[in-house]
Amino acid sequence: MTRLALVMIVKNEARCLGRCLESVKRYVDRMIVLDTGSTDNTVEIAKSFGAEVYHYEWQNDFAAARNAALEKSDAAWNLVLDADEWLVSGFEALSEANLPLHPSVASPPLGCVRVTNAGRNADEPDRRNYLARVLPRGVRYEGRVHEQPEIGRSRVHLPILLGHDGYTPEQLGRKKGRNEYILRAELEANPENGFMWYQLGREHLAYEEFAEAADCMMCAYRFVEAQSYERQEVVIYALVLLRLVGRHEEALALADAEQDNWEDVPDFFFAVAELYLEWASLNPEIAQDLLLPVVEGAWLKCIEIGEQPHLNCSVEGSGSYRAAYNLSNFYKILGYPEQADKYQHLGNQMRVAAMAA
C-alpha cells in the first residue's frame, strides 16, 4: 500500500499544472490525475511529471469527480490539490513521521492546510482560508460544487501553506458562471441548503456582485445551523455585505441578535465597528451619544480578543494592528491626540509582530 498520494481532478490546466506537480512531486509516492475532458496539453504535462492519468466523463458534480479520483488511490493518505494551487511551505508535515503508513488511530482527523491567494495587493490584509486537503484512506466528498470531505469528521490544522491564483481577474473571468450554474441547480433541488446559499453568496462576492451576494448570505443565515462550521463566516459576511449595499437597519438587527455568540471572534466586532461608524455618518444627530461609543468599544474588543489565526476566513490584523490603526484615526478625528498616538504606536508594534510571525 502507498503511504501518500497526490490526487487531482483537472481540465484544461496547461497554464499551471506543471507548477503544481513540480512543487509536490518529491513529497508524495504517487501522483494521480483524473482528467475530465481537457482539449489542451494538460494530459501530456501530467504524464511528463510521471503522474498516472485517468479519464472521466464530467457530470457537473465535483464530489463525484473527486471520489472517482480517490478510488484510483490505494494510499494511507491522500493530498488533494487543484491545478491552480502549489505547495509553498510546510513540507515536513507530509513526512512519514507525521503521516505514517499505518496511522495509530482508527479514524484519523482530516488535515487542514492554509491557502493564500496570489495577486493580492501587498497592503491588503490576508484572509486566512483553511481547507481539508490531507485525507485519510477511505474519506470521500459530498456536494456537487464546493465539495466537502466528510463534514462531521474531526479536523486538525497542519503547518502547510498553499499558493493559489484562481481568483485573479483573468482566472475569474475564465470560470464565471460555471459554479453558479451548479449551485443554483443544487438549490433548486434543495432550497433550504444553507451551505449552498453561503457558497453562492461567496461566488457573487468574488465577482463584486454585492447585492446578489447579500441576498444569498441572508438566505444562508436563515438555514445554516447555529453550530455549523460555516455559521460564523455567514454572520460576518452578511454584516459586511448588508453594509456595502446600504441595508444598514437589517445589519444592525443582525449584529444585535448575534452579539453574544462570537465573544472570541475579533472579525465579528471589527464588522460591527465598521457598520456603526457608517451608520453614525448617516445619523449625526445621534452619533456622539449612541453610535460612536459602540464603534470605540467594538475596536477595543478586537484588541482585547487578539489575533485568532486558527479561525477560518479570519482577516489578518482584525484582532491587532488594523483595529489599533482604526482606533488611532477615530481618536484623531474626535480630537484626542494622546489616544491617537498611543494606538498608532501600538498598531505599528502589532504589525511588525504580524510580519515576523
Side-chain angles (χ1 to χ4, degrees), residues 308-339:
Q308 301 295 321
H310 63 285
L311 294 176
N312 195 43
C313 286
S314 63
V315 177
E316 180 189 290
S318 293
S320 61
Y321 66 87
R322 293 175 63 235
Y325 286 150
N326 284 350
L327 274 168
S328 176
N329 290 331
F330 177 82
Y331 289 128
K332 186 181 299 182
I333 292 170
L334 292 181
Y336 299 108
E338 291 185 3
Q339 289 290 85

PDB file of all heavy atoms in Angstrom, residues 308-339:
ATOM      1  N   GLN A 308      -6.691  35.679  16.190  1.00  0.00           N
ATOM      2  CA  GLN A 308      -7.156  34.288  16.281  1.00  0.00           C
ATOM      3  C   GLN A 308      -6.872  33.600  14.938  1.00  0.00           C
ATOM      4  O   GLN A 308      -7.782  33.354  14.142  1.00  0.00           O
ATOM      5  CB  GLN A 308      -8.655  34.250  16.613  1.00  0.00           C
ATOM      6  CG  GLN A 308      -9.033  34.943  17.904  1.00  0.00           C
ATOM      7  CD  GLN A 308      -8.450  34.271  19.120  1.00  0.00           C
ATOM      8  OE1 GLN A 308      -8.388  33.032  19.202  1.00  0.00           O
ATOM      9  NE2 GLN A 308      -7.994  35.059  20.090  1.00  0.00           N
ATOM     10  N   PRO A 309      -5.607  33.316  14.676  1.00  0.00           N
ATOM     11  CA  PRO A 309      -5.226  32.826  13.343  1.00  0.00           C
ATOM     12  C   PRO A 309      -5.793  31.467  12.979  1.00  0.00           C
ATOM     13  O   PRO A 309      -5.744  31.071  11.810  1.00  0.00           O
ATOM     14  CB  PRO A 309      -3.698  32.791  13.409  1.00  0.00           C
ATOM     15  CG  PRO A 309      -3.376  32.684  14.863  1.00  0.00           C
ATOM     16  CD  PRO A 309      -4.446  33.457  15.571  1.00  0.00           C
ATOM     17  N   HIS A 310      -6.353  30.748  13.953  1.00  0.00           N
ATOM     18  CA  HIS A 310      -6.908  29.432  13.659  1.00  0.00           C
ATOM     19  C   HIS A 310      -8.308  29.517  13.063  1.00  0.00           C
ATOM     20  O   HIS A 310      -8.827  28.522  12.537  1.00  0.00           O
ATOM     21  CB  HIS A 310      -6.979  28.604  14.945  1.00  0.00           C
ATOM     22  CG  HIS A 310      -7.895  29.180  15.980  1.00  0.00           C
ATOM     23  ND1 HIS A 310      -7.546  30.293  16.735  1.00  0.00           N
ATOM     24  CD2 HIS A 310      -9.152  28.838  16.381  1.00  0.00           C
ATOM     25  CE1 HIS A 310      -8.538  30.588  17.560  1.00  0.00           C
ATOM     26  NE2 HIS A 310      -9.507  29.734  17.356  1.00  0.00           N
ATOM     27  N   LEU A 311      -8.937  30.687  13.126  1.00  0.00           N
ATOM     28  CA  LEU A 311     -10.309  30.820  12.641  1.00  0.00           C
ATOM     29  C   LEU A 311     -10.341  30.921  11.120  1.00  0.00           C
ATOM     30  O   LEU A 311      -9.660  31.754  10.533  1.00  0.00           O
ATOM     31  CB  LEU A 311     -10.971  32.057  13.251  1.00  0.00           C
ATOM     32  CG  LEU A 311     -11.197  32.040  14.759  1.00  0.00           C
ATOM     33  CD1 LEU A 311     -11.782  33.374  15.221  1.00  0.00           C
ATOM     34  CD2 LEU A 311     -12.121  30.893  15.162  1.00  0.00           C
ATOM     35  N   ASN A 312     -11.159  30.087  10.494  1.00  0.00           N
ATOM     36  CA  ASN A 312     -11.275  30.131   9.045  1.00  0.00           C
ATOM     37  C   ASN A 312     -11.900  31.446   8.591  1.00  0.00           C
ATOM     38  O   ASN A 312     -12.845  31.949   9.201  1.00  0.00           O
ATOM     39  CB  ASN A 312     -12.127  28.966   8.545  1.00  0.00           C
ATOM     40  CG  ASN A 312     -11.983  28.753   7.056  1.00  0.00           C
ATOM     41  OD1 ASN A 312     -10.878  28.805   6.527  1.00  0.00           O
ATOM     42  ND2 ASN A 312     -13.081  28.512   6.363  1.00  0.00           N
ATOM     43  N   CYS A 313     -11.356  32.007   7.524  1.00  0.00           N
ATOM     44  CA  CYS A 313     -11.805  33.267   6.923  1.00  0.00           C
ATOM     45  C   CYS A 313     -11.546  34.480   7.817  1.00  0.00           C
ATOM     46  O   CYS A 313     -12.070  35.563   7.540  1.00  0.00           O
ATOM     47  CB  CYS A 313     -13.290  33.209   6.531  1.00  0.00           C
ATOM     48  SG  CYS A 313     -13.581  32.212   5.057  1.00  0.00           S
ATOM     49  N   SER A 314     -10.760  34.323   8.871  1.00  0.00           N
ATOM     50  CA  SER A 314     -10.390  35.497   9.656  1.00  0.00           C
ATOM     51  C   SER A 314      -9.402  36.345   8.863  1.00  0.00           C
ATOM     52  O   SER A 314      -8.621  35.828   8.064  1.00  0.00           O
ATOM     53  CB  SER A 314      -9.767  35.076  10.999  1.00  0.00           C
ATOM     54  OG  SER A 314      -8.569  34.345  10.804  1.00  0.00           O
ATOM     55  N   VAL A 315      -9.467  37.663   9.072  1.00  0.00           N
ATOM     56  CA  VAL A 315      -8.614  38.587   8.337  1.00  0.00           C
ATOM     57  C   VAL A 315      -7.471  39.025   9.232  1.00  0.00           C
ATOM     58  O   VAL A 315      -7.682  39.454  10.368  1.00  0.00           O
ATOM     59  CB  VAL A 315      -9.404  39.816   7.849  1.00  0.00           C
ATOM     60  CG1 VAL A 315      -8.491  40.805   7.138  1.00  0.00           C
ATOM     61  CG2 VAL A 315     -10.537  39.375   6.924  1.00  0.00           C
ATOM     62  N   GLU A 316      -6.256  38.900   8.713  1.00  0.00           N
ATOM     63  CA  GLU A 316      -5.075  39.291   9.485  1.00  0.00           C
ATOM     64  C   GLU A 316      -5.201  40.733   9.964  1.00  0.00           C
ATOM     65  O   GLU A 316      -5.552  41.631   9.207  1.00  0.00           O
ATOM     66  CB  GLU A 316      -3.826  39.155   8.615  1.00  0.00           C
ATOM     67  CG  GLU A 316      -2.530  39.526   9.318  1.00  0.00           C
ATOM     68  CD  GLU A 316      -1.376  39.581   8.351  1.00  0.00           C
ATOM     69  OE1 GLU A 316      -0.972  38.505   7.862  1.00  0.00           O
ATOM     70  OE2 GLU A 316      -0.892  40.687   8.066  1.00  0.00           O
ATOM     71  N   GLY A 317      -4.934  40.941  11.251  1.00  0.00           N
ATOM     72  CA  GLY A 317      -4.963  42.287  11.816  1.00  0.00           C
ATOM     73  C   GLY A 317      -6.260  42.685  12.465  1.00  0.00           C
ATOM     74  O   GLY A 317      -6.323  43.723  13.135  1.00  0.00           O
ATOM     75  N   SER A 318      -7.324  41.884  12.283  1.00  0.00           N
ATOM     76  CA  SER A 318      -8.611  42.252  12.888  1.00  0.00           C
ATOM     77  C   SER A 318      -8.537  42.273  14.405  1.00  0.00           C
ATOM     78  O   SER A 318      -9.264  43.032  15.050  1.00  0.00           O
ATOM     79  CB  SER A 318      -9.709  41.278  12.439  1.00  0.00           C
ATOM     80  OG  SER A 318      -9.968  41.424  11.056  1.00  0.00           O
ATOM     81  N   GLY A 319      -7.667  41.442  14.961  1.00  0.00           N
ATOM     82  CA  GLY A 319      -7.504  41.418  16.409  1.00  0.00           C
ATOM     83  C   GLY A 319      -6.244  42.119  16.862  1.00  0.00           C
ATOM     84  O   GLY A 319      -5.821  41.950  18.009  1.00  0.00           O
ATOM     85  N   SER A 320      -5.645  42.928  15.980  1.00  0.00           N
ATOM     86  CA  SER A 320      -4.397  43.600  16.367  1.00  0.00           C
ATOM     87  C   SER A 320      -4.255  44.922  15.618  1.00  0.00           C
ATOM     88  O   SER A 320      -4.963  45.886  15.896  1.00  0.00           O
ATOM     89  CB  SER A 320      -3.195  42.679  16.117  1.00  0.00           C
ATOM     90  OG  SER A 320      -3.073  42.330  14.737  1.00  0.00           O
ATOM     91  N   TYR A 321      -3.340  44.985  14.644  1.00  0.00           N
ATOM     92  CA  TYR A 321      -2.920  46.276  14.109  1.00  0.00           C
ATOM     93  C   TYR A 321      -4.019  47.005  13.330  1.00  0.00           C
ATOM     94  O   TYR A 321      -4.088  48.241  13.383  1.00  0.00           O
ATOM     95  CB  TYR A 321      -1.660  46.130  13.256  1.00  0.00           C
ATOM     96  CG  TYR A 321      -1.791  45.335  11.982  1.00  0.00           C
ATOM     97  CD1 TYR A 321      -2.205  45.937  10.806  1.00  0.00           C
ATOM     98  CD2 TYR A 321      -1.457  43.986  11.954  1.00  0.00           C
ATOM     99  CE1 TYR A 321      -2.299  45.226   9.625  1.00  0.00           C
ATOM    100  CE2 TYR A 321      -1.546  43.258  10.778  1.00  0.00           C
ATOM    101  CZ  TYR A 321      -1.965  43.877   9.618  1.00  0.00           C
ATOM    102  OH  TYR A 321      -2.065  43.163   8.452  1.00  0.00           O
ATOM    103  N   ARG A 322      -4.888  46.316  12.619  1.00  0.00           N
ATOM    104  CA  ARG A 322      -5.937  47.019  11.886  1.00  0.00           C
ATOM    105  C   ARG A 322      -6.903  47.708  12.844  1.00  0.00           C
ATOM    106  O   ARG A 322      -7.323  48.857  12.613  1.00  0.00           O
ATOM    107  CB  ARG A 322      -6.691  46.064  10.966  1.00  0.00           C
ATOM    108  CG  ARG A 322      -5.842  45.530   9.820  1.00  0.00           C
ATOM    109  CD  ARG A 322      -6.586  44.484   9.004  1.00  0.00           C
ATOM    110  NE  ARG A 322      -7.765  45.008   8.349  1.00  0.00           N
ATOM    111  CZ  ARG A 322      -8.991  44.508   8.479  1.00  0.00           C
ATOM    112  NH1 ARG A 322      -9.206  43.453   9.250  1.00  0.00           N
ATOM    113  NH2 ARG A 322     -10.007  45.039   7.834  1.00  0.00           N
ATOM    114  N   ALA A 323      -7.253  47.014  13.920  1.00  0.00           N
ATOM    115  CA  ALA A 323      -8.127  47.632  14.922  1.00  0.00           C
ATOM    116  C   ALA A 323      -7.429  48.800  15.602  1.00  0.00           C
ATOM    117  O   ALA A 323      -8.043  49.851  15.847  1.00  0.00           O
ATOM    118  CB  ALA A 323      -8.549  46.584  15.948  1.00  0.00           C
ATOM    119  N   ALA A 324      -6.146  48.647  15.897  1.00  0.00           N
ATOM    120  CA  ALA A 324      -5.398  49.731  16.555  1.00  0.00           C
ATOM    121  C   ALA A 324      -5.288  50.956  15.656  1.00  0.00           C
ATOM    122  O   ALA A 324      -5.476  52.093  16.109  1.00  0.00           O
ATOM    123  CB  ALA A 324      -4.012  49.229  16.954  1.00  0.00           C
ATOM    124  N   TYR A 325      -4.987  50.765  14.382  1.00  0.00           N
ATOM    125  CA  TYR A 325      -4.895  51.887  13.456  1.00  0.00           C
ATOM    126  C   TYR A 325      -6.247  52.603  13.323  1.00  0.00           C
ATOM    127  O   TYR A 325      -6.312  53.838  13.248  1.00  0.00           O
ATOM    128  CB  TYR A 325      -4.431  51.416  12.083  1.00  0.00           C
ATOM    129  CG  TYR A 325      -2.969  51.053  12.000  1.00  0.00           C
ATOM    130  CD1 TYR A 325      -2.522  50.072  11.113  1.00  0.00           C
ATOM    131  CD2 TYR A 325      -2.012  51.694  12.794  1.00  0.00           C
ATOM    132  CE1 TYR A 325      -1.177  49.735  11.016  1.00  0.00           C
ATOM    133  CE2 TYR A 325      -0.666  51.365  12.708  1.00  0.00           C
ATOM    134  CZ  TYR A 325      -0.259  50.391  11.819  1.00  0.00           C
ATOM    135  OH  TYR A 325       1.082  50.069  11.732  1.00  0.00           O
ATOM    136  N   ASN A 326      -7.314  51.837  13.264  1.00  0.00           N
ATOM    137  CA  ASN A 326      -8.631  52.460  13.155  1.00  0.00           C
ATOM    138  C   ASN A 326      -8.973  53.259  14.411  1.00  0.00           C
ATOM    139  O   ASN A 326      -9.586  54.327  14.326  1.00  0.00           O
ATOM    140  CB  ASN A 326      -9.691  51.399  12.888  1.00  0.00           C
ATOM    141  CG  ASN A 326      -9.671  50.906  11.455  1.00  0.00           C
ATOM    142  OD1 ASN A 326      -8.998  51.481  10.604  1.00  0.00           O
ATOM    143  ND2 ASN A 326     -10.394  49.847  11.182  1.00  0.00           N
ATOM    144  N   LEU A 327      -8.585  52.731  15.564  1.00  0.00           N
ATOM    145  CA  LEU A 327      -8.791  53.490  16.799  1.00  0.00           C
ATOM    146  C   LEU A 327      -7.979  54.779  16.789  1.00  0.00           C
ATOM    147  O   LEU A 327      -8.454  55.834  17.232  1.00  0.00           O
ATOM    148  CB  LEU A 327      -8.401  52.639  18.006  1.00  0.00           C
ATOM    149  CG  LEU A 327      -9.484  51.715  18.556  1.00  0.00           C
ATOM    150  CD1 LEU A 327      -8.883  50.734  19.557  1.00  0.00           C
ATOM    151  CD2 LEU A 327     -10.606  52.515  19.204  1.00  0.00           C
ATOM    152  N   SER A 328      -6.761  54.703  16.280  1.00  0.00           N
ATOM    153  CA  SER A 328      -5.926  55.894  16.205  1.00  0.00           C
ATOM    154  C   SER A 328      -6.601  56.969  15.348  1.00  0.00           C
ATOM    155  O   SER A 328      -6.685  58.148  15.747  1.00  0.00           O
ATOM    156  CB  SER A 328      -4.556  55.542  15.621  1.00  0.00           C
ATOM    157  OG  SER A 328      -3.767  56.699  15.461  1.00  0.00           O
ATOM    158  N   ASN A 329      -7.101  56.601  14.188  1.00  0.00           N
ATOM    159  CA  ASN A 329      -7.800  57.560  13.326  1.00  0.00           C
ATOM    160  C   ASN A 329      -9.080  58.063  13.978  1.00  0.00           C
ATOM    161  O   ASN A 329      -9.435  59.254  13.853  1.00  0.00           O
ATOM    162  CB  ASN A 329      -8.127  56.908  11.977  1.00  0.00           C
ATOM    163  CG  ASN A 329      -6.892  56.656  11.138  1.00  0.00           C
ATOM    164  OD1 ASN A 329      -5.905  57.376  11.251  1.00  0.00           O
ATOM    165  ND2 ASN A 329      -6.934  55.628  10.311  1.00  0.00           N
ATOM    166  N   PHE A 330      -9.766  57.176  14.658  1.00  0.00           N
ATOM    167  CA  PHE A 330     -11.002  57.515  15.360  1.00  0.00           C
ATOM    168  C   PHE A 330     -10.741  58.610  16.399  1.00  0.00           C
ATOM    169  O   PHE A 330     -11.431  59.637  16.434  1.00  0.00           O
ATOM    170  CB  PHE A 330     -11.542  56.241  16.019  1.00  0.00           C
ATOM    171  CG  PHE A 330     -12.783  56.412  16.846  1.00  0.00           C
ATOM    172  CD1 PHE A 330     -14.028  56.444  16.244  1.00  0.00           C
ATOM    173  CD2 PHE A 330     -12.712  56.508  18.227  1.00  0.00           C
ATOM    174  CE1 PHE A 330     -15.185  56.572  17.006  1.00  0.00           C
ATOM    175  CE2 PHE A 330     -13.859  56.642  18.989  1.00  0.00           C
ATOM    176  CZ  PHE A 330     -15.101  56.670  18.372  1.00  0.00           C
ATOM    177  N   TYR A 331      -9.710  58.412  17.233  1.00  0.00           N
ATOM    178  CA  TYR A 331      -9.397  59.392  18.273  1.00  0.00           C
ATOM    179  C   TYR A 331      -8.858  60.690  17.673  1.00  0.00           C
ATOM    180  O   TYR A 331      -9.105  61.784  18.192  1.00  0.00           O
ATOM    181  CB  TYR A 331      -8.396  58.810  19.261  1.00  0.00           C
ATOM    182  CG  TYR A 331      -8.973  57.734  20.155  1.00  0.00           C
ATOM    183  CD1 TYR A 331      -8.348  56.487  20.272  1.00  0.00           C
ATOM    184  CD2 TYR A 331     -10.129  57.952  20.880  1.00  0.00           C
ATOM    185  CE1 TYR A 331      -8.877  55.495  21.083  1.00  0.00           C
ATOM    186  CE2 TYR A 331     -10.668  56.959  21.701  1.00  0.00           C
ATOM    187  CZ  TYR A 331     -10.037  55.738  21.791  1.00  0.00           C
ATOM    188  OH  TYR A 331     -10.563  54.764  22.603  1.00  0.00           O
ATOM    189  N   LYS A 332      -8.125  60.578  16.571  1.00  0.00           N
ATOM    190  CA  LYS A 332      -7.590  61.781  15.912  1.00  0.00           C
ATOM    191  C   LYS A 332      -8.729  62.671  15.433  1.00  0.00           C
ATOM    192  O   LYS A 332      -8.707  63.896  15.619  1.00  0.00           O
ATOM    193  CB  LYS A 332      -6.690  61.365  14.749  1.00  0.00           C
ATOM    194  CG  LYS A 332      -5.954  62.519  14.084  1.00  0.00           C
ATOM    195  CD  LYS A 332      -5.100  62.013  12.922  1.00  0.00           C
ATOM    196  CE  LYS A 332      -4.046  61.027  13.410  1.00  0.00           C
ATOM    197  NZ  LYS A 332      -3.170  60.548  12.292  1.00  0.00           N
ATOM    198  N   ILE A 333      -9.736  62.058  14.804  1.00  0.00           N
ATOM    199  CA  ILE A 333     -10.877  62.820  14.294  1.00  0.00           C
ATOM    200  C   ILE A 333     -11.677  63.447  15.430  1.00  0.00           C
ATOM    201  O   ILE A 333     -12.171  64.575  15.319  1.00  0.00           O
ATOM    202  CB  ILE A 333     -11.774  61.909  13.433  1.00  0.00           C
ATOM    203  CG1 ILE A 333     -11.030  61.521  12.149  1.00  0.00           C
ATOM    204  CG2 ILE A 333     -13.102  62.581  13.103  1.00  0.00           C
ATOM    205  CD1 ILE A 333     -11.715  60.447  11.350  1.00  0.00           C
ATOM    206  N   LEU A 334     -11.766  62.730  16.554  1.00  0.00           N
ATOM    207  CA  LEU A 334     -12.538  63.236  17.688  1.00  0.00           C
ATOM    208  C   LEU A 334     -11.759  64.244  18.525  1.00  0.00           C
ATOM    209  O   LEU A 334     -12.316  64.844  19.450  1.00  0.00           O
ATOM    210  CB  LEU A 334     -12.992  62.079  18.579  1.00  0.00           C
ATOM    211  CG  LEU A 334     -14.036  61.135  17.976  1.00  0.00           C
ATOM    212  CD1 LEU A 334     -14.404  60.050  18.982  1.00  0.00           C
ATOM    213  CD2 LEU A 334     -15.288  61.900  17.549  1.00  0.00           C
ATOM    214  N   GLY A 335     -10.459  64.423  18.211  1.00  0.00           N
ATOM    215  CA  GLY A 335      -9.678  65.429  18.918  1.00  0.00           C
ATOM    216  C   GLY A 335      -9.018  64.947  20.179  1.00  0.00           C
ATOM    217  O   GLY A 335      -8.873  65.709  21.149  1.00  0.00           O
ATOM    218  N   TYR A 336      -8.604  63.668  20.183  1.00  0.00           N
ATOM    219  CA  TYR A 336      -7.879  63.111  21.330  1.00  0.00           C
ATOM    220  C   TYR A 336      -6.490  62.673  20.865  1.00  0.00           C
ATOM    221  O   TYR A 336      -6.246  61.481  20.617  1.00  0.00           O
ATOM    222  CB  TYR A 336      -8.635  61.922  21.927  1.00  0.00           C
ATOM    223  CG  TYR A 336     -10.002  62.269  22.451  1.00  0.00           C
ATOM    224  CD1 TYR A 336     -11.150  61.842  21.773  1.00  0.00           C
ATOM    225  CD2 TYR A 336     -10.157  63.023  23.616  1.00  0.00           C
ATOM    226  CE1 TYR A 336     -12.411  62.145  22.237  1.00  0.00           C
ATOM    227  CE2 TYR A 336     -11.429  63.333  24.100  1.00  0.00           C
ATOM    228  CZ  TYR A 336     -12.543  62.898  23.403  1.00  0.00           C
ATOM    229  OH  TYR A 336     -13.787  63.212  23.876  1.00  0.00           O
ATOM    230  N   PRO A 337      -5.552  63.619  20.720  1.00  0.00           N
ATOM    231  CA  PRO A 337      -4.250  63.297  20.111  1.00  0.00           C
ATOM    232  C   PRO A 337      -3.430  62.287  20.904  1.00  0.00           C
ATOM    233  O   PRO A 337      -2.700  61.486  20.309  1.00  0.00           O
ATOM    234  CB  PRO A 337      -3.549  64.654  20.038  1.00  0.00           C
ATOM    235  CG  PRO A 337      -4.241  65.509  21.047  1.00  0.00           C
ATOM    236  CD  PRO A 337      -5.667  65.052  21.073  1.00  0.00           C
ATOM    237  N   GLU A 338      -3.506  62.324  22.231  1.00  0.00           N
ATOM    238  CA  GLU A 338      -2.708  61.370  23.022  1.00  0.00           C
ATOM    239  C   GLU A 338      -3.182  59.939  22.779  1.00  0.00           C
ATOM    240  O   GLU A 338      -2.364  59.021  22.626  1.00  0.00           O
ATOM    241  CB  GLU A 338      -2.784  61.722  24.503  1.00  0.00           C
ATOM    242  CG  GLU A 338      -2.060  63.016  24.871  1.00  0.00           C
ATOM    243  CD  GLU A 338      -2.053  63.267  26.362  1.00  0.00           C
ATOM    244  OE1 GLU A 338      -2.571  62.402  27.112  1.00  0.00           O
ATOM    245  OE2 GLU A 338      -1.544  64.313  26.772  1.00  0.00           O
ATOM    246  N   GLN A 339      -4.494  59.742  22.759  1.00  0.00           N
ATOM    247  CA  GLN A 339      -5.040  58.417  22.478  1.00  0.00           C
ATOM    248  C   GLN A 339      -4.712  57.994  21.043  1.00  0.00           C
ATOM    249  O   GLN A 339      -4.401  56.825  20.792  1.00  0.00           O
ATOM    250  CB  GLN A 339      -6.559  58.419  22.681  1.00  0.00           C
ATOM    251  CG  GLN A 339      -6.994  58.512  24.140  1.00  0.00           C
ATOM    252  CD  GLN A 339      -6.671  57.237  24.900  1.00  0.00           C
ATOM    253  OE1 GLN A 339      -5.542  57.085  25.388  1.00  0.00           O
ATOM    254  NE2 GLN A 339      -7.627  56.342  24.996  1.00  0.00           N
TER     255      GLN A 339
END
